[in-house]
Amino acid sequence: MMRTIRKEHGNGGKQTYELIDDLFKPIFGSEILKSGDDSTVFSLNGMKVGISTDSFVVKPYFFKGGDIGKLSVCGTVNDLAVAGLEPKYITISFIIEEGFSMDDLEKITRSIRKYADLAKVEVVAGDTKVVEKGAADGIFINTTGLGVARDTQKMPSISRIKGNQVVIVSGDIGRHGACIYSHNEDLGFKDRIESDCGLLLDVISELMQEVDVAYMKDLTRGGLATALNEIVQKSGFDIKVEEEKIPVADEVKALCDILGLDSYYLACEGRFVAIVNGDEKEKAIEILRKYNGFACEIGTVEESREKRVYLSTTFGGTRILDMLYYEMLPRIC
């Protein structure tokens, strides 16, 4: 029986990780790749540097709060930032469908320039390919970002996670995924939800200056639940979060109720979780709330080591919060 790729292999959830672990990692065999983080950090001539690469296929490519150009810069830069890196350079490559609007391409390119300037990263290389009509869906963008360590003595690392630490989220969750759903014309929504797509550089820079952060992870494909599951799988420790503490905006809750979606699995493009020691949580939350009033503590790292994420529900029970398995969304990034 022929093996085939399904959409679920690209949703950032369990089947994505199975594809990476079962096919890509054994073939490439790189020790550096084994970390499995969004950015790979390594030593080069005595310096700690990091690289991240990403591809962007979001549909629609213009949405409330951003566009595919802004998203491509923010997504790449944020992956570097949560690894404790200061982004320096980025490459941009385009795959464009024949017949694509030149005006739209210019808007997207100007958006890339705008957010690269805001992030203080330089676009240093790129590539352009045009495919025949019907061979792509408008425009796809691929990026690679390079950064250097902010402080080699305080680098966030999965190995620094330990029991009784606190899990903090930087803002309300699920906004970007809800935004893309609200743009689906077939669903008939009149009001568009604004994406959280944005740069995390300033908030992370201030946080790392004031707080010794054990680990950070941005919440992209697969949302909060999948990010937390990735953390427990790599660290070995369980995480317990409280449903009543997890911030979800009213408009996102309403969309989820209408469509039967789970906000814990909806993507963000401007949010992250930080794991800190208990004696530093108040300072961390104070800093994060300068940038987003929804920032708060949502749970703890447990001493147990079953590699599970547990959700304490508002009904007084506890359930396992697993990694995203099925295809819940259209193309969100």
Side-chain angles (χ1 to χ4, degrees):
M1 182 176 178
M2 185 175 68
R3 297 179 299 166
T4 59
I5 290 293
R6 299 185 300 276
K7 283 186 68 178
E8 290 84 354
H9 284 114
N11 66 11
K14 185 174 291 186
Q15 289 176 292
T16 300
Y17 285 91
E18 289 174 353
L19 179 65
I20 293 169
D21 291 339
D22 297 343
L23 193 150
F24 294 132
K25 282 186 178 179
I27 292 174
F28 292 133
S30 167
E31 286 297 316
I32 293 177
L33 277 178
K34 288 183 179 179
S35 71
D37 286 327
D38 291 334
S39 294
T40 295
V41 180
F42 53 93
S43 295
L44 181 66
N45 295 330
M47 293 179 60
K48 282 283 187 183
V49 298
I51 288 178
S52 182
T53 190
D54 213 335
S55 297
F56 300 88
V57 298
V58 66
K59 185 180 180 180
Y61 38 84
F62 294 104
F63 50 86
K64 187 173 182 180
D67 57 72
I68 192 172
K70 176 184 178 181
L71 180 63
S72 66
V73 175
C74 293
T76 308
V77 165
N78 291 346
D79 279 347
L80 294 169
V82 294
L85 301 164
E86 182 179 351
K88 292 291 187 182
Y89 305 104
I90 192 171
T91 70
I92 305 284
S93 294
F94 299 93
I95 298 174
I96 308 167
E97 182 183 16
E98 180 187 16
F100 189 77
S101 165
M102 190 71 78
D103 289 340
D104 284 351
L105 180 59
E106 181 174 346
K107 290 176 186 176
I108 290 165
T109 305
R110 290 189 181 279
S111 183
I112 290 171
R113 173 63 189 270
K114 175 182 177 180
Y115 286 94
D117 287 349
L118 288 172
K120 297 183 174 61
V121 296
E122 186 176 356
V123 178
V124 293
D127 185 49
T128 305
K129 294 291 190 295
V130 177
V131 298
E132 62 272 20
K133 196 168 185 63
D137 195 354
I139 184 170
F140 301 152
I141 298 177
N142 175 267
T143 62
T144 297
L146 185 143
V148 297
R150 295 178 183 275
D151 184 346
T152 57
Q153 303 302 313
K154 294 174 62 178
M155 291 288 287
S157 170
I158 201 77
S159 64
R160 296 182 59 199
I161 294 177
K162 57 187 179 182
N164 298 315
Q165 289 177 326
V166 176
V167 182
I168 297 171
V169 69
S170 69
D172 56 314
I173 67 165
R175 182 170 285 279
H176 180 70
C179 165
I180 300 305
Y181 251 122
S182 74
H183 280 269
N184 189 323
E185 294 181 359
D186 293 336
L187 297 175
F189 289 103
K190 294 181 180 179
D191 297 321
R192 308 302 191 197
I193 294 173
E194 186 168 0
S195 171
D196 58 8
C197 179
L199 294 167
L200 294 172
L201 289 174
D202 290 344
V203 59
I204 288 176
S205 177
E206 184 173 352
L207 183 66
M208 289 189 64
Q209 287 174 18
E210 301 294 332
V211 176
D212 189 9
V213 183
Y215 190 72
M216 291 181 285
K217 169 74 177 168
D218 55 339
L219 310 179
T220 52
R221 291 180 302 167
L224 173 69
T226 298
L228 294 178
N229 270 279
E230 183 178 331
I231 293 170
V232 300
Q233 289 299 315
K234 293 175 183 175
S235 70
F237 289 96
D238 295 340
I239 287 177
K240 190 172 186 178
V241 293
E242 298 181 45
E243 186 173 32
E244 65 180 3
K245 290 184 176 180
I246 298 173
V248 184
D250 289 342
E251 60 267 35
V252 175
K253 286 181 182 177
L255 181 140
C256 288
D257 288 344
I258 292 169
L259 298 179
L261 301 175
D262 191 333
S263 60
Y264 304 140
Y265 296 98
L266 288 177
C268 308
E269 288 294 345
R271 305 285 187 264
F272 66 99
V273 289
I275 297 178
V276 303
N277 293 326
D279 60 356
E280 295 200 87
K281 71 174 183 180
E282 297 299 334
K283 183 64 176 177
I285 293 171
E286 178 186 346
I287 292 168
L288 293 175
R289 284 184 176 168
K290 293 180 185 178
Y291 298 86
N292 189 295
F294 285 100
C296 64
E297 174 189 353
I298 60 170
T300 55
V301 179
E302 303 292 286
E303 294 282 4
S304 54
R305 299 177 72 99
E306 297 178 350
K307 298 184 179 181
R308 295 282 193 182
V309 179
Y310 295 98
L311 178 73
S312 296
T313 70
T314 54
F315 298 105
T318 301
R319 69 179 177 92
I320 293 172
L321 196 61
D322 207 350
M323 189 175 282
L324 178 65
Y325 187 75
Y326 57 94
E327 180 65 18
M328 188 171 69
L329 285 170
R331 300 201 305 263
I332 47 87
C333 66

